[in-house]
Amino acid sequence: MSVLVFLEHHEGQLQKGSLGVLSKAAGLGAGGVSGVILGSAIEGLEAEAGRYGAAIVYVADDEKLAAPLPQPRVDAIAQLVEEQGIETVLFAQSILSADLAAGLAARLDAGLNWQLVDIVAQDGGLVGKQSALGDSVLVDVGWTSTPRLGLFRAGVFDPVEMRAAGAMETFEVRFNEHSLLAEMLEQAHEEPSGPSIEDANVIVAGGRGLGAPEGFGMVEELAKALGGAVGATRAVVDAGWYPYAAQVGQTGKSVSPALYVACGISGAIQHKVGMQGSKVIVAVNKDPNAPIFEFADLGVVGDVHQIVPKLTELLRARTL
Ligand SMILES: Cc1cc2nc3c(=O)[nH]c(=O)nc-3n(C[C@H](O)[C@H](O)[C@H](O)COP(=O)(O)OP(=O)(O)OC[C@H]3O[C@@H](n4cnc5c(N)ncnc54)[C@H](O)[C@@H]3O)c2cc1C
């Protein structure tokens, strides 16, 4: 059963999420696990892939792969799948991987399971685990044909060093004309504003109770008034409301500020483990039975849309 892992890299570094998926795939005992690295001027990355379990690392080094665009990568991986008889292609969640996996599913007419949190080898095949019903249960998901495509949630596996052969095989991609039509005009890095959540003394975090991505506006205002940083739950990060860098919890960051203000956050155990070290926890939630009130030092039962702006206003009035 041949498994290929897409190894994403930026600024000369293989991404931790991809290496985690590679380690997981190598530990499945499902046969030869290979990795694929696509880009331009990418010498040396294959050795690192070997350290995390890739028996073979396919490398296409081509200027047409320099920009992190999905379509030329669809050509490259589709070609490998066909030429090498690959049965499974796995990806770690990222914007590029999600675009690429979707494009590949369309190109190969293949089934794609996404938001996977685990995968096991079973009865000669593979079974994915997907969390459902607000992360309260895990369900088994499968594939009815090959190639199987799987996209894992961010951060579900840690990279584990396990030296494999790491033999490099280079290949030339045959690009489709239409795959090269998109052009990357500019890439900009997000400018950090205020302290990072790892360093902040105060964190104001938002959850699904904010109702919409725009709800983070008032969370940012409160964080600014307190000189703090903004945190988020995984539910809102997965929904694309706020960047992953702000995620607090089991698969995000562990923080221990002097003050943690949780706005519209239920207090699930996976969130709690990342913030329970905070000195003072304040929770605003409209449900008096929300689990967060079991471990908050101060609880406000109410609507975030009324309480949070009011709090900011009072703080600003005090500091004037
Ligand atoms: C393997 C695994 C790892 C995970 N890792 C993480 C992790 O790292 N971090 C993390 O956060 N989660 C993690 N989770 C997910 C976790 O289980 C919860 O699903 C998630 O924390 C819930 O986020 P939430 O509190 O924003 O949403 P919900 O649970 O939906 O809670 C929303 C809350 O908002 C309240 N509310 C609604 N409207 C309002 C309003 N107008 N005003 C005030 N309150 C309101 C509701 O009463 C509710 O309590 C993980 C899950 C799994 C299975």
Side-chain angles (χ1 to χ4, degrees), residues 128-215:
K129 307 279 174 185
Q130 210 174 45
S131 72
L133 300 177
D135 284 332
S136 58
V137 293
L138 282 185
V139 294
D140 287 353
V141 291
W143 291 263
T144 53
S145 60
T146 56
R148 313 170 184 93
L149 306 181
L151 180 64
F152 289 89
R153 267 190 181 177
V156 285
F157 307 122
D158 283 328
V160 180
E161 289 215 27
M162 48 170 104
R163 180 167 278 284
M168 178 166 89
E169 282 190 24
T170 55
F171 70 109
E172 297 279 325
V173 184
R174 292 185 301 277
F175 294 103
N176 287 308
E177 209 175 305
H178 67 260
S179 301
L180 300 172
L181 293 178
E183 202 183 327
M184 172 86 61
L185 295 182
E186 194 187 347
Q187 256 182 295
H189 291 279
E190 191 185 6
E191 293 297 332
S193 61
S196 71
I197 58 168
E198 292 97 326
D199 305 326
N201 218 19
V202 176
I203 293 176
V204 184
R208 204 149 31 192
L210 297 178
E214 294 71 37

Side-chain angles (χ1 to χ4, degrees), residues 66 83 92 113 128 141 200 299:
E83 287 175 358
N113 278 310
V141 291

Side-chain angles (χ1 to χ4, degrees), residues 1-3 21-33 53 119-126 162:
M1 194 162 39
S2 52
V3 179
V21 172
L22 178 62
S23 303
K24 177 68 196 184
L28 281 174
V33 171
I119 193 164
V120 292
Q122 200 173 298
D123 305 328
L126 291 170
M162 48 170 104

